[in-house]
């Protein structure tokens, strides 16, 4: 088996795994009950799925120019996904769009109560 065939096989596996993780993220967004639960589906498998898809494209292309285009995509996605997830989580918590009965520990409640009770 030649090196090109091995790289094609690895690229195909990366693309399939990335597609599976992206579908899992979409299913999680539809199935999970509240905003805080959906954050995990929206960020974790989506980022890992993107990494696998970009790796598959880079392996299939075998071109430095393609790698130079794909690298900023990955960097910007990895920088913006956690920030947007944090903001969505904060908004979901503050608007009450979560199920308190499925939370084990609410570490944010004392801080929110302290902030709302402070004068000024």
């Amino acid at each position: 088996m030649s090196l090109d065939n091995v790289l094609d096989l690895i690229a195909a596996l990366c693309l399939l795994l990335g597609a599976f993780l992206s579908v899992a993220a979409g299913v999680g967004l539809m199935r999970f009950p509240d905003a805080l639960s959906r954050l995990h589906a929206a960020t974790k498998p989506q980022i890992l799925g993107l990494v696998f898809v970009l790796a598959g494209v880079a392996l299939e292309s075998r071109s430095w120019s393609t790698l130079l285009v794909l690298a900023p995509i990955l960097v910007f996605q990895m920088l913006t996904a956690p920030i947007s997830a944090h903001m969505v989580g904060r908004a979901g918590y503050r608007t009450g769009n979560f199920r308190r009965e499925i939370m084990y520990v609410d570490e944010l409640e004392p801080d929110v109560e302290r902030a709302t009770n402070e004068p000024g």
Side-chain angles (χ1 to χ4, degrees):
M1 191 178 248
S2 70
L3 180 62
D4 284 338
N5 290 340
V6 171
L7 289 176
D8 286 342
L9 181 64
I10 293 171
L13 289 174
C14 284
L15 289 171
L16 287 173
L17 189 57
F20 172 74
L21 287 169
S22 296
V23 168
V27 169
L29 282 173
M30 299 300 291
R31 300 275 320 222
F32 287 163
D34 60 350
L36 298 181
S37 299
R38 289 182 184 136
L39 284 177
H40 296 286
T43 55
K44 290 175 179 42
Q46 185 266 336
I47 290 291
L48 189 57
L50 179 69
V51 168
F52 280 119
V53 167
L54 294 180
V57 169
L59 285 172
E60 183 61 36
S61 173
R62 296 182 191 94
S63 167
W64 285 105
S65 61
T66 302
L67 189 62
L68 290 174
V69 170
L70 296 177
I73 294 170
L74 180 63
V75 169
F76 288 131
Q77 187 68 27
M78 291 182 85
L79 288 174
T80 58
I83 294 168
S84 62
H86 177 78
M87 298 310 291
V88 169
R90 173 180 268 188
Y93 184 87
R94 289 182 181 234
T95 59
N97 186 9
F98 67 99
R99 292 178 47 192
R100 191 169 297 276
E101 67 270 7
I102 63 173
M103 291 182 70
Y104 291 114
V105 177
D106 187 1
E107 296 174 350
L108 193 57
E109 185 176 22
D111 294 331
V112 170
E113 285 181 14
R114 187 177 66 240
T116 56
N117 292 332
E118 286 183 358

